[in-house]
Amino acid sequence: MELEAAIRTRRSEHRLIEPAPSDEEFVDLLGWAATAPDHGHLRPWRWILVRGDSRTALGVSFASGATDAETVRREMRKPLRAPLLATLVFVPRRNHRVPDWEQLAASSAMVNSLMLLLHDRGFGSIWRTGSPVDSAETRTLLGLAPHEGLIGWLYIGSPDPTRRSVLRSPVPVSHRVSRFTPEGFPGQPGPLRPSGHQRVSDTL
Ligand SMILES: Cc1cc2nc3c(=O)[nH]c(=O)nc-3n(C[C@H](O)[C@H](O)[C@H](O)COP(=O)(O)O)c2cc1C
């Protein structure tokens, strides 16, 4: 698949079934994903892969804060929505010349590359967070150190063909783009199209 086609056709898949990539294939793809821009090449992350019955233990921790039976049931079922839950742990290098926010940006860039690579191999994924990322029970279960951040899970598997995410055609999204010149902003201050309802390609 060409890169542009991969970008155009990737969608977060909410319903994922077997097969998921093996641990080895995941690590292989991660090696490529980690070529995303990463100031200082710090690779400030680690992954914890959760599959099979281990997802049940994760579900119990998701439900730990719930007060009613219905919420408990719903939270416990969440990790069962995909065969592989790849837990993304942010491990910032503290007191480094590369600030935390740049390390987080590098981690996010890596995830986007990984999702595209998974898509290219025919797998589906969705990045999920929610209240479990702040849950003491979940952090303890997964053995996180105090300085580590739980920044979500990539739910990974094969898209369920009966419940695939809708492939929307590209939407003309409004982006705020200004052209700066030595004279300042030509025309009036602000974006090229103050109303901002043009695509970038329409404005530059
Ligand atoms: C950091 C981050 C956290 C997210 N957490 C959730 C989540 O908890 N639940 C959810 O349904 N979508 C979540 N999303 C959004 C989906 O992953 C997805 O990007 C969104 O539904 C748009 O779908 P698309 O990727 O097909 O455009 C999150 C996205 C990001 C970047």
Side-chain angles (χ1 to χ4, degrees), residues 98-201:
V98 177
D100 276 19
W101 78 264
E102 292 191 20
Q103 298 184 43
L104 190 56
S107 305
S108 190
M110 174 274 296
V111 172
N112 188 47
S113 292
L114 182 57
M115 294 178 83
L116 286 169
L117 287 162
L118 286 162
H119 174 52
D120 184 52
R121 292 265 174 110
F123 296 113
S125 65
I126 181 168
W127 188 348
R128 291 186 187 276
T129 47
S131 55
V133 297
D134 298 317
S135 151
E137 286 77 5
T138 306
R139 291 181 59 92
T140 301
L141 178 74
L142 296 173
L144 267 64
H147 72 286
E148 294 182 319
L150 184 49
I151 58 174
W153 288 265
L154 267 197
Y155 284 60
I156 303 172
S158 299
D160 181 341
T162 65
R163 306 183 69 174
R164 277 212 85 144
S165 289
V166 176
L167 193 58
R168 302 174 301 275
S169 43
V171 183
V173 182
S174 127
H175 296 279
R176 293 168 57 89
V177 180
S178 304
R179 182 186 291 119
F180 180 76
T181 71
E183 290 75 42
F185 296 98
Q188 66 288 319
L192 285 174
R193 302 278 184 185
S195 57
H197 292 298
Q198 298 287 324
R199 278 197 286 180
V200 171
S201 57

Side-chain angles (χ1 to χ4, degrees), residues 2-193:
E2 294 297 324
L3 176 62
E4 189 172 326
I7 290 171
R8 282 177 180 274
T9 58
R10 184 210 63 81
R11 292 294 178 275
S12 294
E13 296 291 346
H14 293 254
R15 293 290 155 191
L16 295 156
I17 57 177
E18 295 281 3
S22 66
D23 291 358
E24 290 72 22
E25 189 170 9
F26 178 88
V27 171
D28 187 41
L29 294 175
L30 180 58
W32 296 112
T35 64
D38 176 13
H39 194 176
H41 294 114
L42 300 177
R43 311 286 189 260
W45 56 74
R46 66 187 180 95
W47 290 91
I48 303 169
L49 305 183
V50 184
R51 299 176 189 270
D53 292 345
S54 308
R55 295 174 302 165
T56 305
L58 194 58
V60 171
S61 79
F62 281 13
S64 57
T67 49
D68 63 282
E70 175 53 30
T71 311
V72 167
R73 201 178 64 84
R74 196 175 60 241
E75 292 298 316
M76 286 190 63
R77 289 189 58 77
K78 281 186 175 172
L80 307 180
R81 292 184 291 192
L84 169 59
L85 269 72
T87 316
L88 179 51
V89 183
F90 179 49
V91 191
R93 192 91 62 85
R94 286 281 146 79
N95 303 315
H96 193 276
R97 66 184 168 80
V98 177
D100 276 19
W101 78 264
E102 292 191 20
Q103 298 184 43
L104 190 56
S107 305
S108 190
M110 174 274 296
V111 172
N112 188 47
S113 292
L114 182 57
M115 294 178 83
L116 286 169
L117 287 162
L118 286 162
H119 174 52
D120 184 52
R121 292 265 174 110
F123 296 113
S125 65
I126 181 168
W127 188 348
R128 291 186 187 276
T129 47
S131 55
V133 297
D134 298 317
S135 151
E137 286 77 5
T138 306
R139 291 181 59 92
T140 301
L141 178 74
L142 296 173
L144 267 64
H147 72 286
E148 294 182 319
L150 184 49
I151 58 174
W153 288 265
L154 267 197
Y155 284 60
I156 303 172
S158 299
D160 181 341
T162 65
R163 306 183 69 174
R164 277 212 85 144
S165 289
V166 176
L167 193 58
R168 302 174 301 275
S169 43
V171 183
V173 182
S174 127
H175 296 279
R176 293 168 57 89
V177 180
S178 304
R179 182 186 291 119
F180 180 76
T181 71
E183 290 75 42
F185 296 98
Q188 66 288 319
L192 285 174
R193 302 278 184 185

